Amino acid sequence: MCVYRDLEIFKINHYNLKAASIIIENSGERLKKILLEPYELLEDVDNFIEDSLIFIRNIHKNCPSIEYLSLIFSPSNEHFEEIEKLLKVCRNLKLLLLVIFDHTYEDSTYSYEEKNLKYGQELLKILINSTSNNNLKEIRFCGGCKFSLGALGEFFEKWEGRTLSIITSNYYIYEDEEYKELINKYKNNGIIKDFRCDTYTNVVNMDSKI
């Protein structure tokens, strides 16, 4: 088994979460950047669900110094619980990318829109519960999550961390005047530094300064 004791930056072009987890587990707890680029569609969904869960667990067990982190995951209760644990343990995080891959949308009684709003609300709740007094400066959201006006307002009101930039790949919903008014209110209050929408490719590229 190889041990990567001096590894501080880990980047792979195509996500192989099982291999990534093994490297993280043997990284010597010095990793500061984990950059995954989730461009390709998933074929083996069952393995992805389990592999992404183990991937998140290995990060909060082995990466106490992580500052830049990309996560792609299934929106299960187990995944949300592990993400909350990670955020409570990894207190040096500065930039976080969250990509939801929902493989159940064709089999659900809920509409695609309803599920995206539900997942968005859950993520915001986790962030509120676990990231006060931390170093997070930027959060990026991709995939199956959107924020209702009420959930976003509650998040801004309860956020206790640093002035925050939010980047999302979902465009149209935040062009509504009510969203613009809400975002501008918390920009003026110093809670939000920026709230932007961009292409999926740009948002997942953690080297991109949007």
Side-chain angles (χ1 to χ4, degrees):
M1 177 70 68
C2 293
V3 179
Y4 309 89
R5 297 193 186 280
D6 296 322
L7 186 64
E8 293 188 2
I9 300 174
F10 178 35
K11 182 175 182 179
I12 58 177
N13 291 328
H14 305 292
Y15 49 83
N16 184 334
L17 296 181
K18 186 173 183 179
S21 290
I22 294 171
I23 292 173
I24 289 168
E25 194 172 3
N26 294 279
S27 64
E29 298 190 355
R30 298 185 64 180
L31 272 168
K32 293 184 178 180
K33 292 185 179 182
I34 299 176
L35 310 177
L36 305 179
E37 299 181 356
Y39 294 124
E40 296 184 349
L41 294 176
L42 297 165
E43 296 180 358
D44 194 343
V45 171
D46 291 335
N47 281 349
F48 167 74
I49 294 171
E50 182 64 21
D51 289 348
S52 60
L53 195 61
I54 294 171
F55 179 72
I56 297 169
R57 284 175 181 160
N58 274 344
I59 291 172
H60 68 67
K61 289 179 180 179
N62 297 285
C63 303
S65 301
I66 195 73
E67 296 179 3
Y68 299 83
L69 176 61
S70 304
L71 295 177
I72 180 168
F73 57 94
S74 175
S76 72
N77 289 334
E78 282 186 290
H79 284 80
F80 286 132
E81 288 171 4
E82 292 299 324
I83 289 171
E84 186 163 357
K85 290 178 185 177
L86 184 152
L87 291 171
K88 289 178 178 178
V89 171
C90 301
R91 309 301 292 177
N92 294 321
L93 269 174
K94 296 178 181 178
L95 196 159
L96 176 64
L97 167 65
L98 298 170
V99 183
I100 288 183
F101 174 74
D102 183 11
H103 63 287
T104 67
Y105 67 93
E106 293 181 347
D107 304 319
S108 176
T109 56
Y110 296 98
S111 71
Y112 181 74
E113 186 78 11
E114 289 172 331
K115 294 181 74 174
N116 284 355
L117 289 170
K118 177 184 176 185
Y119 300 150
Q121 184 174 18
E122 186 65 28
L123 283 177
L124 293 181
K125 183 174 71 173
I126 288 170
L127 288 164
I128 290 170
N129 290 341
S130 55
T131 58
S132 61
N133 301 318
N134 67 16
N135 292 303
L136 260 177
K137 297 190 294 184
E138 182 174 307
I139 307 174
R140 301 186 181 195
F141 298 94
C142 276
C145 73
K146 295 178 182 177
F147 310 123
S148 70
L149 191 67
L152 197 59
E154 181 181 7
F155 173 73
F156 290 157
E157 188 66 30
K158 294 183 177 179
W159 178 254
E160 296 180 358
R162 300 176 63 171
T163 301
L164 187 66
S165 293
I166 294 176
I167 316 295
T168 176
S169 62
N170 291 312
Y171 279 87
Y172 71 92
I173 187 172
Y174 308 114
E175 293 300 314
D176 185 90
E177 284 302 318
E178 289 183 304
Y179 278 95
K180 289 181 179 180
E181 289 177 8
L182 178 70
I183 292 165
N184 286 333
K185 172 185 174 181
Y186 286 95
K187 280 184 179 179
N188 293 335
N189 289 346
I191 304 297
I192 297 299
K193 179 180 179 181
D194 204 358
F195 191 107
R196 298 191 197 180
C197 302
D198 208 310
T199 64
Y200 176 85
T201 301
N202 283 342
V203 175
V204 299
N205 181 7
M206 298 276 273
D207 292 326
S208 173
K209 301 297 182 182
I210 299 174

